[in-house]
Amino acid sequence: MTAAIAAEVRKTASLTTIRQCVLLGLTGIAAVSWFGVLQTISYTQAGRPEDTGGIAAADWPLLALHYGKVIPVLLGAWIFGQDMATGTRRMMFLASSSRIRIACGKMFLATLLTSATALACSLGALTPFLGASERAADGVGGFQLSPARFGWLIGYWVVIALLSAAITAATRNTVIAVAPLLIWTIGLSDLLTNALPSLKIVFDQVFKTAYQSGFTPSASELTATAIQLIVVMTIGAVIFIRRDCG
């Protein structure tokens, strides 16, 4: 297993697309957070809180990270997608005695890489507060940065990266994995949940509520989320392991 993980790390590290995704994502999230936080503080201190649109300074990092979910979706898809060409896939299977090791190695790498990226992006999103805390204390409403909220958001990034990886493993197509996940998590899920409240147990709604409020989801919500993740990962892994090389 260690050898399989090491091989996947070396292979993934050679992909410029992944390095660019992480770097551009970190830069973009930090930039959006900086702009929003400083604008909110400036408007509030100038006596024009209405110009903030109701968004508090502490909301901006989470807002930037919420829409930055495109990063883990891409990372999860690319970790499996890099081997989807027939020739590459055949060489990959010949180089290992077990497809199970390959699948587990890729899933572990998706978890590790996404966790590190999510942590880096969270720290990048929080950089505006390094020099703004004193000014923000003058009356910027909602200046509450709960570690729990960022913990749930990092967990959410890992979950959608694993889902993206599993769908790519099952379909051999990164577009089929990336497009539906982004459409669902960025807007469609919220629209359907407003019409069907029972959809609040869907994984993204559970995590969204947790990192927006900082409250721990109920046992039933966590169980439902775990089941959804396990089912999709299991289906993806089984198809990946049993599929012929050709």
Side-chain angles (χ1 to χ4, degrees):
M1 180 61 71
T2 302
I5 294 173
E8 293 303 327
V9 169
R10 289 193 298 270
K11 188 164 32 176
T12 300
S14 68
L15 291 179
T16 57
T17 50
I18 287 184
R19 295 198 297 271
Q20 291 169 351
C21 177
V22 173
L23 179 60
L24 292 175
L26 174 58
T27 303
I29 286 172
V32 170
S33 182
W34 264 99
F35 175 81
V37 169
L38 297 182
Q39 284 290 96
T40 299
I41 292 173
S42 174
Y43 285 142
T44 302
Q45 291 184 332
R48 297 155 48 200
E50 66 279 0
D51 290 338
T52 66
I55 302 177
D59 293 332
W60 277 101
L62 285 166
L63 186 65
L65 290 162
H66 172 73
Y67 287 102
K69 67 186 74 176
V70 63
I71 301 170
V73 171
L74 290 174
L75 292 180
W78 283 337
I79 284 174
F80 270 90
Q82 62 184 313
D83 294 320
M84 287 302 106
T86 301
T88 303
R89 192 169 63 254
R90 182 179 290 112
M91 290 173 61
M92 172 186 65
F93 289 145
L94 289 174
S96 174
S97 60
S98 174
R99 298 187 189 186
I100 296 176
R101 287 199 191 95
I102 296 173
C104 290
K106 287 179 178 294
M107 290 297 185
F108 180 83
L109 180 59
T111 301
L112 190 64
L113 178 60
T114 305
S115 298
T117 302
L119 180 59
C121 288
S122 296
L123 294 175
L126 290 172
T127 53
F129 292 106
L130 295 177
S133 57
E134 184 177 338
R135 287 180 294 163
D138 290 337
V140 177
F143 189 73
Q144 300 293 327
L145 297 173
S146 167
R149 298 174 73 184
F150 285 89
W152 284 112
L153 196 142
I154 291 172
Y156 176 48
W157 274 35
V158 172
V159 167
I160 57 179
L162 290 174
L163 289 172
S164 180
I167 296 171
T168 302
T171 63
R172 299 183 181 181
N173 192 311
T174 55
V175 175
I176 292 176
V178 170
L181 267 178
L182 288 180
I183 291 171
W184 176 262
T185 58
I186 288 179
L188 183 58
S189 177
D190 290 335
L191 291 174
L192 293 180
T193 302
N194 290 335
L196 298 171
S198 59
L199 289 178
K200 287 184 178 179
I201 63 168
V202 176
F203 74 96
D204 62 309
Q205 291 297 319
V206 172
F207 276 101
K208 181 181 177 182
T209 301
Y211 67 71
Q212 286 184 343
S213 66
F215 297 139
T216 302
S218 66
S220 60
E221 290 174 328
L222 290 175
T223 300
T225 298
I227 291 173
Q228 293 165 49
L229 177 61
I230 291 170
V231 167
V232 176
M233 287 182 61
T234 300
I235 292 173
V238 168
I239 295 175
F240 178 82
I241 291 167
R242 295 179 63 85
R243 181 182 287 130
D244 290 335
C245 295

